[in-house]
């Protein structure tokens, strides 16, 4: 049997048994309805209706005061059996044979033309219109005290005047009123069945949601939920939707009902868990206004983040460095870090300049890791390391058959892989004019076309570029497009050379010393002074290369000044002027170098103290210096 041919499940709720009997006489003729009957006292109507709804009743018929109570609570599925002035007149005609005075009792939402009834019937009528039991009791008591002994109205009014010793005649609705109410109930039931059919499909979808879901209707009753709601809230599904009731307020669903405002991505703590919750208004045809909350525990978000990061790391699409990897306390480094933090708040293109070996790629990685795109791919490519034809296919990808040897099915380019993330184009100044034109299109239109393809693919990529020399030089020489230059250099980072931050050298060497099992005691003041006075044309790369060779050859924990200075001369001799056996200080350079050496000494001593858990005596013994030397260095720093 289809849903539309199933009998309609209806209940009739009234304040008196006589009204239920009256309803039964009429409704027995409705063969397509399965009807239940319930006598409910004042205040018992709503619980009775809830019971029926929970058992699958599709609509409730009600009358008089019962209807007033139910329609005031439920906004749907209540069909009111109406009563008109003519129904009152028929019953008053019966009373007129015994008395010319009577009470017309109706609920506050009904409007009765009592004056017209008096004129038509020639009776003295007392109107009682009530909203609460106290009001009904008070008004009937007043009418009785004034000599009115007969009443026409609902079950509660009739009962009250009988208690006072009068006669109460319950107003029974007409057959036409019942037929109209049943027709309304059928329409409500059909609408509910249609919505239930949609809800069944919706339930299947909701089960697939990764989020937990909780939905309430306009009466703050829970009408939808999914299994994840119980799982994420650590509740047993067997406990039923009632167990979810406390979260109606926790997730601010009543507030959404009240003001209709969406609450996006709230972080809400419940017991020992934190949840990311979005609550928003919802409108359903039969349920009226409602609200829905989608939520997820923070731990699951962290798990997803770790999974994404792991996948990106496996593919080499994740930054290897963060701001914490930029070592140094010099003003130049602090200014660089401050700039990176500021630039990370935007998606504008950034161009990085700096001498070879200064750490331009490290700055690019740190910039991405500090930005809002940090959970998205980071792709780095050295433009000068790839031939022109290979660079084009690597950056933009290719379609199947684009060239001999092209992979079947084609291949995604680096711009596609970096979508919603960042791409780092190192040595950007080396690309050809043709490639410059294609890069300009990406920056302007935010779209690419694969090699051999004809489809336009949109991309959302932040472009970070770098060059050893300022791009202004090739722009002036006509070797680099001026329009691309302006697109690349919306923001500019300049990575300082090592000679401008010689005081950071001990910090830069900390990690390498630890890797080789050495302490700062492996560096002597003479070595520190030599490093401070050196120009470092290869910058940090040159420094680390020199130090690695030294540590590999070093015997014992102490310094070997001869070995170090020899290695320094050899390395410098292969790329530039020889380094003297001992630094020669001129009056012009001496103050600067001595200041830098002092900073380096303090950094080494501080690292030694930290390595010995703050024990200054142990640090002094490890460094081969007196305790007073350690004390003075730290006192100056403080």
């Amino acid at each position: 049997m289809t849903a539309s041919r199933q009998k309609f499940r209806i209940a009739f709720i009234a304040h008196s048994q006589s009204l239920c009997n009256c309803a039964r006489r009429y409704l027995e003729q409705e063969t397509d309805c399965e009807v239940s009957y319930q006598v409910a006292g004042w205040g018992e109507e709503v619980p009775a209706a809830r019971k029926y709804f929970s058992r699958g009743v599709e609509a409730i018929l009600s009358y008089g005061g019962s209807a007033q109570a139910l329609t005031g609570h439920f906004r749907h599925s209540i069909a009111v059996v109406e009563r008109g002035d003519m129904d009152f007149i028929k019953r008053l005609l019966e009373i007129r044979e015994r008395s010319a005075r009577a009470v017309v009792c109706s609920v506050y939402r009904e409007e009765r033309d009592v004056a017209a009834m008096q004129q038509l019937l020639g009776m003295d009528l007392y109107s009682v219109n009530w909203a609460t039991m106290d009001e009904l009791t008070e008004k009937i008591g007043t009418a009785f005290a004034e000599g009115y002994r007969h009443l026409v109205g609902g079950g509660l009014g009739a009962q009250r005047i009988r208690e006072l010793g009068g006669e109460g005649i319950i107003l029974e609705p007409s057959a036409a009123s019942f037929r109209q109410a049943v027709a309304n109930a059928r329409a409500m039931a059909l609408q509910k069945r249609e919505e239930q059919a949609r809800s069944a499909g919706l339930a299947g979808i909701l089960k697939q949601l990764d989020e937990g879901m909780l939905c309430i209707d306009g009466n703050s009753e829970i009408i939808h939920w999914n299994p994840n709601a119980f799982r994420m809230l650590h509740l047993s599904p067997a406990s039923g939707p009632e167990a979810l009731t406390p979260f109606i307020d926790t997730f601010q669903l009543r507030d959404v009902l009240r003001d209709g405002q969406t609450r996006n991505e709230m972080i809400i703590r419940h017991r020992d868990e934190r949840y990311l919750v979005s609550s928003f208004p919802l409108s359903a045809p039969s349920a009226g206004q409602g609200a829905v909350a989608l939520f997820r525990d923070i731990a699951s978000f962290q798990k997803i983040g770790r999974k994404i990061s792991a996948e990106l790391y496996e593919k080499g699409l994740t930054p290897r460095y963060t701001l914490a990897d930029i070592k140094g306390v010099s003003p130049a480094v602090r200014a660089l870090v401050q700039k990176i933090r500021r630039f990370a708040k935007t998606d504008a293109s950034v161009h990085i300049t700096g001498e070879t070996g200064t750490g331009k790629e490290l700055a690019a990685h740190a910039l991405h890791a500090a930005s809002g795109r940090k959970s998205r791919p980071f792709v780095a490519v050295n433009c000068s390391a790839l031939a022109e034809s290979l660079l084009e296919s690597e950056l933009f990808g290719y379609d199947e058959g684009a060239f001999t040897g092209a992979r079947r099915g084609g291949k995604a380019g680096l711009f596609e892989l970096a979508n919603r993330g960042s791409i780092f184009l190192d040595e950007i100044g080396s690309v050809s004019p043709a490639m410059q034109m294609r890069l300009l299109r990406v920056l302007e239109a935010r779209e690419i076309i694969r090699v051999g393809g004809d489809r336009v693919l949109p991309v959302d990529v932040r472009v970070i570029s770098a060059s050893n020399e300022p791009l202004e030089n090739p722009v002036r020489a006509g070797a680099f497009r001026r329009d691309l230059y302006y697109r690349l250099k919306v923001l500019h980072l300049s990575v300082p050379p090592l000679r401008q931050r010689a005081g950071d050298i001990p910090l830069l060497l900390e990690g390498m010393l630890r890797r080789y099992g050495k302490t700062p005691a492996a560096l002597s003041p003479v070595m520190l002074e030599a490093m401070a006075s050196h120009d470092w044309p290869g910058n940090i790369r040159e420094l680390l290369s020199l130090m690695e060779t030294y540590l590999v050859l070093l015997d014992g924990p102490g310094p070997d000044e001869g070995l170090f200075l020899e290695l320094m001369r050899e390395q410098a001799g292969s790329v530039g002027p020889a380094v003297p056996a001992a630094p020669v200080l001129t009056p012009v350079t001496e103050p600067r170098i001595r200041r830098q050496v002092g900073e380096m000494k303090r950094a080494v001593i501080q690292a030694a103290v930290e390595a010995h858990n703050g024990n200054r005596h142990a640090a002094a013994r490890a460094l081969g210096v007196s305790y007073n030397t350690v004390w003075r260095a730290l006192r100056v720093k403080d």
Side-chain angles (χ1 to χ4, degrees), residues 272-318:
D272 296 329
E273 290 279 3
R274 289 182 301 156
Y275 297 91
L276 187 68
V277 184
S278 291
S279 299
F280 48 89
L282 183 70
S283 181
S286 68
Q289 293 300 317
V292 64
L294 296 176
F295 57 93
R296 195 160 193 162
D297 55 288
I298 298 295
S300 69
F301 271 108
Q302 294 170 336
K303 183 178 179 181
I304 291 172
R306 288 193 296 269
K307 182 178 180 181
I308 292 173
S309 297
E311 290 179 356
L312 292 176
Y313 184 81
E314 288 175 4
K315 296 178 181 178
L317 302 179
T318 184

Side-chain angles (χ1 to χ4, degrees), residues 2 17 26 62 110 136 175 199 211 274 281 355 360 437 460 467 507 512 528 531 533 571 577 617:
T2 63
Q17 186 62 53
Y26 288 118
S62 195
E110 296 178 325
L136 175 67
S199 295
E211 294 87 352
R274 289 182 301 156
E355 298 177 6
K360 296 185 293 298
M437 186 64 203
D460 172 19
S467 60
L507 296 175
M512 184 168 287
L528 293 173
M531 285 188 279
S533 61
Q571 180 166 299
H617 289 283

Side-chain angles (χ1 to χ4, degrees), residues 291-513:
V292 64
L294 296 176
F295 57 93
R296 195 160 193 162
D297 55 288
I298 298 295
S300 69
F301 271 108
Q302 294 170 336
K303 183 178 179 181
I304 291 172
R306 288 193 296 269
K307 182 178 180 181
I308 292 173
S309 297
E311 290 179 356
L312 292 176
Y313 184 81
E314 288 175 4
K315 296 178 181 178
L317 302 179
T318 184
R320 299 190 303 274
Y321 309 109
T322 67
L323 284 171
D325 294 302
I326 301 179
K327 304 296 185 182
V329 294
S330 62
V333 171
R334 287 200 299 268
L336 175 66
V337 170
Q338 185 178 8
K339 255 192 175 184
I340 290 176
R341 285 201 176 100
R342 190 163 67 248
F343 291 177
K345 297 176 182 178
T346 79
D347 282 335
S349 299
V350 178
H351 183 64
I352 305 173
T353 57
E355 298 177 6
T356 181
T358 52
K360 296 185 293 298
E361 184 170 353
L362 186 153
H365 282 251
L367 175 62
H368 175 82
S371 73
R373 297 172 179 256
K374 61 184 176 183
S375 61
R376 301 297 180 177
F378 177 83
V379 177
V381 56
N382 190 321
C383 298
S384 66
L386 297 173
E388 174 72 15
S389 58
L390 184 57
L391 178 62
E392 182 180 26
S393 62
E394 285 296 309
L395 287 179
F396 304 110
Y398 56 81
D399 278 353
E400 183 176 343
F403 49 83
T404 303
R407 181 187 299 177
R408 187 174 182 180
K411 177 186 175 184
L414 297 179
F415 270 101
E416 289 180 69
L417 293 178
N419 191 38
R420 301 183 69 185
S422 305
I423 189 168
F424 174 52
L425 303 176
D426 199 5
E427 300 291 350
I428 188 67
S430 65
V431 301
S432 68
M435 182 58 66
Q436 292 176 31
M437 186 64 203
R438 295 206 63 176
L439 290 173
L440 180 63
R441 176 173 178 79
V442 176
L443 288 168
E444 288 184 338
R446 298 293 172 179
E447 59 189 26
I448 64 166
I449 299 176
R450 288 183 177 181
V451 175
D454 56 6
R455 291 180 301 136
V456 174
L457 304 174
V459 290
D460 172 19
V461 178
R462 181 182 198 174
V463 176
I464 305 170
S465 59
S467 60
N468 289 336
E469 63 172 342
L471 284 180
E472 290 88 342
N473 297 335
V475 168
R476 281 193 292 267
F480 199 88
R481 296 182 63 100
R482 188 176 297 273
D483 46 6
L484 177 59
Y485 165 74
Y486 289 128
R487 288 287 185 180
L488 292 171
K489 198 177 178 182
V490 176
L491 298 174
H492 177 234
L493 277 178
S494 178
V495 182
L498 185 56
R499 60 183 172 274
Q500 293 181 7
R501 46 177 301 204
D504 294 329
I505 289 177
L507 296 175
L508 295 171
L509 298 178
E510 279 183 350
M512 184 168 287
L513 289 170

